[in-house]
Amino acid sequence: GGNEALEVPVELEATLAAAAYVYDLNTQQFLAHTNQVRFKLDPWQPTALALLQHPIPTNALHAMLERLQ
């Protein structure tokens, strides 16, 4: 008890210093080329984003993630 407020997902918006190609590593999807990222910070399901200077093909993202496992 007492931590209920920390156990609730929170919607956030992060402003980046420069636009980036944003990829969701959980779903392995390209999200946008932007300097503002909206996402849900969930205490039970981590948010994992890749912020890249250049776009990469989806198959390259899949291969990179497989090598990390």
Side-chain angles (χ1 to χ4, degrees), residues 10-14 37-41 47 49:
V10 178
E11 291 285 335
L12 296 175
E13 184 169 327
V37 181
R38 288 189 59 82
F39 60 96
K40 185 186 301 185
L41 186 61
T47 300
L49 302 174

Side-chain angles (χ1 to χ4, degrees), residues 4-64:
E4 290 82 11
L6 300 175
E7 296 175 358
V8 178
V10 178
E11 291 285 335
L12 296 175
E13 184 169 327
T15 301
L16 310 174
Y21 292 89
V22 182
Y23 296 84
D24 182 323
L25 299 181
N26 295 323
T27 64
Q28 300 183 14
Q29 300 278 326
F30 171 70
L31 299 179
H33 181 248
T34 184
N35 72 332
Q36 301 231 292
V37 181
R38 288 189 59 82
F39 60 96
K40 185 186 301 185
L41 186 61
D42 187 317
W44 309 113
Q45 174 112 25
T47 300
L49 302 174
L51 308 174
L52 306 177
Q53 291 180 344
H54 304 285
I56 60 172
T58 303
N59 60 341
L61 180 63
H62 293 290
M64 177 184 68

